[in-house]
Amino acid sequence: MNGDSDEALMIAYAQGQAVAFEQLYARWRQPLYAYFRRHAGDEATANDLYQGCWEKVIGARRRYRHPPPFRAWLFRIAHNHLVDHWRAQKPSAPLPPGLAADEDHPGESLDEQARQARFRAAVDALPDDQREAIVLRLEAGLGVEQIAEVTGVGVETAKSRLRYATRKLKEALQS
Amino acid sequence: MSGTDDPMRGPRDQAMDDVPEEVREAWAKLGAAEPPDLVDLAVLNRARAAVERPRSGRPWSFGWMHTLTTTAVLVLGVTVLMQFREPAPSLPETRPAPQGAAPEREMDAPRASGTIDHELRRMSPEALDRVQGRNDAAAAAAGAAVPEAESAADEADLMSRKSESGEPAPLRLRDLAAPVEEAPPPSPAAAPAPIPMTAPEADAEEAKQAQPLQERQEVRDPDAWLEEIRALFAAGELDTARKQLEAFLAAYPDHPLPEDLQP
């Protein structure tokens, strides 16, 4: 079962094999958690969103059909879950801040630390959909077409979001 | 996961190395985010519980008792129903009334016109009024029954005319349960070529993207969408409805689908 594709594992789980879900979970827990962690302001919210998303995946297991690829399906559910979360917030609430500092890097020079801090601030300052595009690209490994599919926009829009996000992050590193 | 040899990257992705290496490196230094162990445990337990087979509530050895109880309840129910069932209304009796019976009761039996006239002359004015009132009520009831019968006949006639004229019959559940044809995936060659954006367009796009997602109306309400699909089915636009349903399932894979729209 280790060598099975994500899609085969999901179908096996839908047919009642819990062990298939364990394999799938081991593969996708980190990218999916990172997706929510980069968007949610605090760890507790990220945990709730992450757990809620997996519950939706479990609840929708019988509706999974291949295609689409499992990762696009998974992140589509994650995207919808995140949008629901944003909608539940007050419209006037500030944009969710990005990921807080995870760990210190004592071995790095001050310049490097400052550079990394600027980068982190730039990630935090990205508009939601640009940040989502770059997270889906770098954390989930989705291509532009899959990002477009997951976020429900056209390919050109997805490409544009990714381009803007990349440009801003690059500028933060070079300033 | 995010390497350049990613199998999920399409041909257009391969052509566009979208994220520079320095950004990738800085991103990696943000730190790997891992869910807490307790959350892992909760998700895995939930996943296992979802596919566990429900245990039978009754041991197999009591199966005969269940059958017997069901049969006994059914027999009892039928018996009670038969007991409470009212006898069918009988036709008015035609046998001659006994001598000295009340004049009103005598009017119930059909008689020759001469006999009726004779009887009416013998009746008191109060009895005559009562008889007149009863006749009026009977006439009113008969008058009401006629339009009902006529409307039922009209309805049956309309149905038969509809089926003869080939007009679409009302939608039934089995129509909705017809298999949804899956649209073939778009070929990469058929995809439109990217159009480079001009500077004002790019600025407008960036301004739009800077707007918070929750303030934009691009997210379609799933319940309203389902209502539209249901209306399409009801209007007989089955192809459009099925395509919309397919698009809905792609957009909201986790949204519970109502019973009547299950593919």
Side-chain angles (χ1 to χ4, degrees), chain B residues 35-78:
Chain B
D37 290 345
L38 277 177
V39 174
D40 282 345
L41 200 61
V43 172
L44 290 172
N45 282 340
R46 174 79 183 80
R48 284 187 206 107
V51 293
E52 262 181 9
R53 288 182 184 172
R55 290 177 187 172
S56 172
R58 222 173 256 112
W60 67 270
S61 57
F62 289 107
W64 63 271
M65 192 180 281
H66 180 244
T67 311
L68 184 66
T69 310
T70 309
T71 312
V73 168
L74 276 175
V75 169
L76 186 67
V78 169

Side-chain angles (χ1 to χ4, degrees), chain A residues 13 22 25 29 38 56 61 63 71 73 76 80 102 112 116 129-130 137 139 141 144 146 160 164 166, chain B residues 6 8-9 12-13 18 20 26-27 29-31 34 40 47-48 50 202 209 213 216 251 253-254:
Chain A
Y13 173 60
E22 288 166 17
Y25 185 76
R29 61 187 279 281
R38 304 284 176 215
K56 286 188 172 179
R61 65 190 181 281
R63 290 199 287 277
R71 74 168 72 180
W73 186 76
R76 178 78 208 197
N80 289 349
D102 286 321
E112 181 57 27
Q116 196 62 27
D129 40 20
Q130 290 178 20
R137 183 76 196 90
E139 298 285 358
V144 174
Q146 281 74 42
S160 157
Y164 284 122
T166 305
Chain B
D6 190 339
M8 285 297 291
R9 301 181 75 201
R12 302 174 77 190
D13 300 322
D18 42 23
W27 189 274
K29 285 181 185 173
L30 286 175
E34 296 270 344
D40 282 345
R48 284 187 206 107
Q209 289 183 12
L213 189 62
R216 280 183 255 145
D254 57 309

Side-chain angles (χ1 to χ4, degrees), chain A residues 152-164:
Chain A
V153 297
V155 172
E156 289 306 314
T157 306
K159 192 191 286 185
S160 157
R161 288 175 181 176
L162 197 56
R163 189 165 54 228
Y164 284 122

Side-chain angles (χ1 to χ4, degrees), chain B residues 118-167:
Chain B
H118 174 71
E119 292 290 337
L120 284 174
R121 266 184 247 117
R122 285 176 51 202
M123 287 169 74
S124 65
E126 294 85 3
L128 274 173
D129 287 341
R130 282 200 296 272
V131 170
Q132 184 63 38
R134 195 183 294 178
N135 286 344
D136 290 344
V146 169
E148 277 177 20
E150 281 175 357
S151 73
D154 287 347
E155 201 172 294
D157 188 35
L158 187 65
M159 292 287 282
S160 65
R161 269 187 236 158
K162 269 188 180 178
S163 62
E164 282 167 12
S165 66
E167 214 171 309

Side-chain angles (χ1 to χ4, degrees), chain A residues 9 14 46 49 52 64 92 95-96 106-107 112 116 132 145 156 162 173:
Chain A
L9 288 173
L49 288 170
Y64 176 72
S92 58
L95 290 175
E112 181 57 27
Q116 196 62 27
E132 185 175 33
E145 288 173 11
E156 289 306 314
L162 197 56
L173 289 173

Side-chain angles (χ1 to χ4, degrees), chain A residues 29 77 79 83 97 102 133 149:
Chain A
R29 61 187 279 281
I77 292 177
H79 167 81
V83 169
D102 286 321
E149 193 180 322

Side-chain angles (χ1 to χ4, degrees), chain A residues 7-8 10 14-17 19-20 29 42 46 63 73 88 94 97 110 118 121 146-147 150 164:
Chain A
E7 291 74 28
M10 188 63 207
Q15 290 167 350
Q17 296 183 38
V19 69
R29 61 187 279 281
D42 57 286
R63 290 199 287 277
W73 186 76
L110 285 177
R118 282 199 309 273
Q146 281 74 42
I147 293 171
V150 163
Y164 284 122

